[in-house]
Amino acid sequence: MVADTKRPPPETVAKFLQGYSPPPGVADELLRSDGRLRPAWQPLIRHLAAQSAETRARAFARGDQYLHDTGVYFRQHTGEGSTERSWPLSHVPVVISGREWATLSEGIVQRAELLERVMADLYGPGNLVKQGYLPADLVARNPEWLRPIVGVQPRSGHFLHFLAFEIGRSPDGSWLVLGDRTQAPSGSGFALENRMATGRVFHDLFPKANVERLAGFFRSFRDALIGLRADDRSRVAILTPGQHTDTYYEHAYIARYLGFMLLECEDLAVRSGQLKVRTVAGDQPVSVLWRRLDSRFADPLELDESSALGTPGMVSALRAGAITMVNCLGSGALESRALMAFLPRICEALTGERLKLPNIATWWCGQPSERAYVRDNLHRMLIGPAQSTKLPFDIDAGTALGGRFRGGVHGSVSDWLEREGETLVGQEAVTLSTTPAMVGDQLLPRPMVVRVFAARTPQGWTVMPGGYARIGRTGDPTALAMQAGGSVADVWITSDAPVARETLAPRDTGPFLRRQPGLLPARAADNLYWLGRYVERAENGVRQIRAYHLRLEDYGPDALPLLESLARFLAGYGLDPSEESVPPGLLQLFDVSRGCAAKVRDRFSTDGWNALSDLATTAHEVAEGCHPGDDAARAMSLLLRRIAGFSGLVHENMFRFLGWRFLTVGRALERADQMAAFLAAFTDKATPTGGLDLAVEVGDSAMTHRRRYSVETSRETVIDLLALDAGNPRSLLFQLDVLMAEEARLRPAGSSGLPEAGRRILLLRTALAVAAPEEITPARLRGFRADLAAISHALTAHYLS
């Protein structure tokens, strides 16, 4: 790393490092064995040492603010469910020199190719078992070895395309592989976000620190996936289990970053042997699928019949060569702890080479000699399930460490080995290396493991120049997981020379071609449609609840008949303000709105998402201890301003693609339905005094009514303004104009004739346009609502089913 920065005096650096003392016998990223700083770290440490505590705190806050504004989170699981938590960034990156990384990369590439060959054999000829390199029982008992995949020949010619490896330093400073991630490796998107946040923390150092960029890695992989398509008509997609998985944020982020569709299994169907995605324009082919859910859930027909996440026929499409799966189903079999015991010998047999990057020493206890060795060395062994995919420092109740059971289990470990040896492995107890982390304002060593990524391209495997480091909360190496309070850090690979400024843009030069908008899955369109409806329903509820509390405050018992009428009306929507100042039903509307947006995070702007999240959070906050009358009215006014902020972001800044149109259609339909219902209830002759003024207020048209009509509020003036005025954005006629315009834009270019939804909108709009105010009776308004429901059904049947 070369950085043009002022060097602080040596005594300043020494003072900053005071108290930084790695445990004895442990390798450290910052310090050599002789206690001197590693050269790659020197510019960063000098930069930190030269800053005051206040300056460092402000710099760290910039990174945290970026993560908050971007909405990066992880899902914290507890006994009561799961919640979203702020991303726990460890602000000091892990720094590795380019020379050392080059050697590491050679080992990663060799290991990736080795795993490819092992998987090809496990699902092909089975020579590793026939020739004694792998025990047959170990393969057959592996829950991730899937019999339906045996004999499948990948259309791309390869089983594996994207891998991750957990690596750490041994006490002598050399690197070891602690675990292989072949199933559906996560973390690459989080590595990007860590880089963005750390770049803000060190905005004055990073540009001149010669840190290798990550974009080139993703560009190469994106181009490789596009090149695997069956033809130009088919698409590449990312398959996610959905928003409740731990890494859903990353799935949405990567989909946006690379420009791929983010799909759930319900978006897909296998028809005539081809994998299709259901879109608003009909079924469209998908020929490359980057899978981010476990294999066994992918197909309830041939794999796990209880899976609600799968697409029936997925295995048959894979078998027929209709899709390239990244990674192929069944690849989770390579993550087994027990396999690591045999990889060194397998590598020599298949490649004629020794492992360049060895894995942690592992012994399968199903063999007498290995079991005896583990039993004789219990003091330095971690013993656990052979088929586990956990890392050797993830110690739980099913393991023994140092000859003793963990988690309160009692008994003899030796007897356990003899009794259940074929189901167990022994692994050398991990002594993780340490890396610097800021704890308060002190730099302290903390245990660390790095996840690195490799992607297959037409030129072979390429390794991301960086990664994703997990940092322990304390010195305990078993507490690295975020669920246990651990944090994450960026990984800087530094060069002695300036590095290329990589981007996702293609390198070739040629005429500019504007990309056509991507396909919109029907599920995504449906969620955007209902997002529009729920937000509008919530806004109407807020306006009506505010009107209730304003009258309660200003008129008290004198407004009782009107208040009772309004409370009954709101109760029909689960929003009775006479029972609770902020009804739980209103909070639920904000929550379900956020839920709809969460399902389409890849299609929703960060600012829009943050505005909606803030809106839902504010709604719950104002509900706490809110009193009837003025207090509740003020709370509703605050929510209206937040809703206006969200609406402004969506409607002023959101690109007018198909998704925006479905959101707009949903909002217009809901506004029309809510207005028709309110007018039917409060322009009726039986409505208590004040009902007409209430309708004008809820319709946000009081000022316009005063300017336009010189007479007092009457039923005719209210109907004219709120139902028949095409210039009033709250009127029924205005919403029908919006619906008619947007429905026309939803139709494919060149289509002829009106679909049912378009025909119904045109008929309803025409009938309303020629009506006189006195003709718009409550009965006709109720019929108008029925017509709106029919339009909604027609839109759903045509586009969203």
Side-chain angles (χ1 to χ4, degrees):
M1 180 192 293
V2 176
D4 183 19
T5 183
K6 289 184 178 180
R7 292 193 177 193
E11 56 270 21
T12 301
V13 176
K15 183 178 179 180
F16 178 69
L17 293 175
Q18 187 177 0
Y20 188 88
S21 178
V26 172
D28 184 65
E29 293 301 311
L30 176 64
L31 302 178
R32 291 171 165 172
S33 57
D34 59 6
R36 291 186 299 163
L37 278 175
R38 295 183 189 270
W41 280 87
Q42 291 175 7
L44 177 63
I45 294 301
R46 291 174 186 142
H47 176 83
L48 287 168
Q51 294 178 320
S52 66
E54 293 76 13
T55 301
R56 280 195 297 270
R58 286 196 299 270
F60 292 170
R62 282 196 299 270
D64 293 338
Q65 188 64 48
Y66 166 80
L67 293 168
H68 175 271
D69 292 344
T70 311
V72 186
Y73 70 91
F74 78 101
R75 192 165 288 280
Q76 177 78 51
H77 295 280
T78 64
E80 300 177 354
S82 64
T83 56
E84 293 179 5
R85 299 296 188 192
S86 299
W87 190 244
L89 179 68
S90 182
H91 303 92
V92 179
V94 175
V95 183
I96 302 173
S97 72
R99 294 189 192 90
E100 186 174 21
W101 191 256
T103 302
L104 266 174
S105 295
E106 289 180 10
I108 292 296
V109 168
Q110 182 206 45
R111 194 175 186 90
E113 195 54 42
L114 174 63
L115 292 176
E116 169 69 34
R117 296 178 68 172
V118 170
M119 184 162 178
D121 182 79
L122 290 179
Y123 291 102
N127 291 328
L128 292 174
V129 170
K130 294 174 185 175
Q131 297 170 11
Y133 291 102
L134 271 176
D137 189 56
L138 200 62
V139 176
R141 288 192 178 190
N142 189 325
E144 295 297 336
W145 183 72
L146 305 178
R147 291 182 183 274
I149 307 302
V150 174
V152 168
Q153 296 298 316
R155 184 169 63 85
S156 68
H158 300 288
F159 288 89
L160 304 177
H161 296 84
F162 192 85
L163 302 174
F165 303 90
E166 309 279 1
I167 63 174
R169 287 190 194 271
S170 65
D172 67 4
S174 62
W175 289 93
L176 294 172
V177 174
L178 305 175
D180 302 301
R181 292 291 172 250
T182 56
Q183 171 78 272
S186 63
S188 59
F190 289 128
L192 275 170
E193 286 290 40
N194 289 343
R195 173 60 54 86
M196 296 295 291
T198 308
R200 281 163 171 74
V201 171
F202 299 101
H203 68 96
D204 46 354
L205 173 69
F206 184 84
K208 51 196 175 186
N210 296 342
V211 179
E212 296 285 352
R213 303 306 203 258
L214 306 181
F217 171 83
F218 286 97
R219 184 188 62 243
S220 297
F221 184 52
R222 178 201 62 190
D223 294 347
L225 293 184
I226 292 173
L228 291 173
R229 292 178 302 163
D231 53 55
D232 291 341
R233 289 182 57 253
S234 65
R235 299 295 179 118
V236 180
I238 298 174
L239 182 63
T240 175
Q243 62 172 320
H244 296 297
T245 191
D246 291 3
T247 52
Y248 177 72
Y249 173 85
E250 181 193 34
H251 303 168
Y253 178 83
I254 285 289
R256 281 198 306 265
Y257 186 69
L258 299 182
F260 295 150
M261 287 189 296
L262 183 65
L263 304 179
E264 297 181 25
C265 280
E266 67 182 85
D267 294 320
L268 297 165
V270 177
R271 307 192 192 282
S272 302
Q274 300 295 311
L275 187 65
K276 301 291 184 69
V277 55
R278 300 182 183 99
T279 78
V280 296
D283 290 350
Q284 301 293 328
V286 172
S287 59
V288 180
L289 202 59
W290 186 359
R291 174 176 59 85
R292 302 304 297 271
L293 82 165
D294 289 353
S295 298
R296 65 182 183 275
F297 299 130
D299 187 346
L301 284 183
E302 298 198 51
L303 301 175
D304 185 346
E305 64 181 14
S306 65
S307 172
L309 300 175
T311 299
M314 185 77 81
V315 171
S316 66
L318 186 66
R319 190 180 292 124
I323 55 171
T324 293
M325 188 80 78
V326 178
N327 289 325
C328 187
L329 296 177
S331 57
L334 302 176
E335 295 187 356
S336 164
R337 277 179 177 171
L339 181 63
M340 300 181 83
F342 302 93
L343 277 181
R345 187 166 170 239
I346 290 173
C347 182
E348 292 184 12
L350 294 182
T351 69
E353 299 177 336
R354 301 186 67 180
L355 282 173
K356 296 178 180 178
L357 187 58
N359 48 242
I360 185 172
T362 305
W363 298 267
W364 178 52
C365 298
Q367 300 161 301
S369 60
E370 282 76 4
R371 184 166 61 250
Y373 180 84
V374 170
R375 186 179 57 245
D376 293 342
N377 293 273
L378 289 179
H379 63 284
R380 61 185 186 90
M381 289 286 174
L382 170 70
I383 303 170
Q387 303 295 359
S388 173
T389 61
K390 290 186 176 181
L391 296 176
F393 51 80
D394 291 332
I395 300 173
D396 54 28
T399 61
L401 179 64
R404 294 186 178 184
F405 284 108
R406 309 290 290 187
V409 179
H410 300 286
S412 167
V413 175
S414 295
D415 291 347
W416 182 42
L417 281 172
E418 290 301 322
R419 187 175 61 251
E420 303 179 32
E422 69 275 6
T423 68
L424 301 173
V425 292
Q427 291 185 297
E428 194 169 6
V430 174
T431 303
L432 293 178
S433 62
T434 53
T435 193
M438 291 299 299
V439 180
D441 194 45
Q442 187 175 12
L443 198 69
L444 295 176
R446 288 291 180 258
M448 171 214 73
V449 63
V450 175
R451 178 171 292 190
V452 298
F453 303 90
R456 185 184 294 280
T457 72
Q459 293 74 40
W461 289 98
T462 181
V463 179
M464 180 194 291
Y468 168 100
R470 286 195 283 166
I471 312 294
R473 177 172 54 88
T474 65
D476 181 3
T478 67
L480 265 68
M482 287 186 288
Q483 302 290 335
S487 57
V488 295
D490 190 12
V491 177
W492 287 8
I493 309 303
T494 61
S495 171
D496 294 333
V499 299
R501 297 297 180 93
E502 298 279 8
T503 71
L504 277 186
R507 286 175 171 166
D508 57 350
T509 58
F512 171 77
L513 296 175
R514 174 175 290 169
R515 290 182 60 189
Q516 294 300 311
L519 296 175
L520 179 64
R523 178 188 55 84
D526 187 58
N527 278 290
L528 288 164
Y529 170 79
W530 281 102
L531 172 61
R533 295 205 68 158
Y534 285 133
V535 169
E536 185 61 32
R537 194 174 298 178
E539 180 178 345
N540 274 278
V542 168
R543 290 184 180 279
Q544 293 159 11
I545 292 168
R546 182 177 68 169
Y548 175 92
H549 286 292
L550 285 173
R551 281 156 180 76
L552 184 66
E553 178 73 21
D554 293 342
Y555 301 108
D558 293 341
L560 190 58
L562 183 60
L563 289 176
E564 290 177 343
S565 181
L566 180 54
R568 283 195 301 273
F569 178 84
L570 284 165
Y573 291 91
L575 304 175
D576 189 351
S578 65
E579 295 183 355
E580 293 192 49
S581 299
V582 182
L586 182 64
L587 303 181
Q588 186 178 13
L589 284 174
F590 287 117
D591 290 340
V592 295
S593 298
R594 189 177 185 273
C596 286
K599 295 176 182 177
V600 287
R601 283 291 295 270
D602 59 312
R603 297 175 180 274
F604 217 66
S605 76
T606 298
D607 287 336
W609 169 258
N610 286 338
L612 188 57
S613 294
D614 289 345
L615 177 56
T617 300
T618 302
H620 283 274
E621 289 173 350
V622 300
E624 293 292 329
C626 187
H627 300 291
D630 183 64
D631 191 29
R634 288 174 180 272
M636 294 303 103
S637 294
L638 173 61
L639 291 180
L640 277 179
R641 292 194 292 273
R642 294 293 174 89
I643 293 173
F646 168 75
S647 300
L649 282 169
V650 167
H651 292 278
E652 294 299 324
N653 299 336
M654 196 170 175
F655 188 80
R656 267 47 173 174
F657 72 123
L658 281 175
W660 181 89
R661 303 201 184 284
F662 279 100
L663 190 150
T664 302
V665 164
R667 190 156 195 184
L669 264 172
E670 187 66 33
R671 181 171 287 189
D673 182 70
Q674 292 281 332
M675 181 57 70
F678 205 80
L679 290 176
F682 291 96
T683 62
D684 192 280
K685 293 180 180 178
T687 301
T689 302
L692 295 174
D693 289 324
L694 176 64
V696 173
E697 179 184 325
V698 169
D700 198 21
S701 300
M703 185 180 298
T704 303
H705 188 278
R706 284 196 300 270
R707 283 204 312 263
R708 178 168 297 181
Y709 305 103
S710 58
V711 297
E712 291 186 357
T713 308
S714 67
R715 187 180 187 282
E716 286 72 21
T717 61
V718 172
I719 293 295
D720 183 56
L721 183 59
L722 297 180
L724 306 179
D725 191 332
N728 183 359
R730 294 275 166 185
S731 76
L732 301 180
L733 190 57
F734 186 96
Q735 309 316 316
L736 285 169
D737 284 341
V738 171
L739 289 173
M740 194 159 64
E742 296 306 331
E743 191 281 329
R745 294 185 177 101
L746 291 177
R747 296 177 221 152
S751 60
S752 59
L754 274 178
E756 183 184 357
R759 183 178 61 82
R760 287 183 176 275
I761 293 170
L762 179 59
L763 288 173
L764 189 56
R765 197 265 176 203
T766 302
L768 199 62
V770 299
E774 57 271 18
E775 297 172 351
I776 307 299
T777 63
R780 187 165 178 181
L781 287 165
R782 288 189 286 272
F784 182 85
R785 294 188 69 201
D787 291 334
L788 289 173
I791 291 170
S792 179
H793 292 321
L795 286 167
T796 298
H798 190 80
Y799 295 107
L800 307 179
S801 296

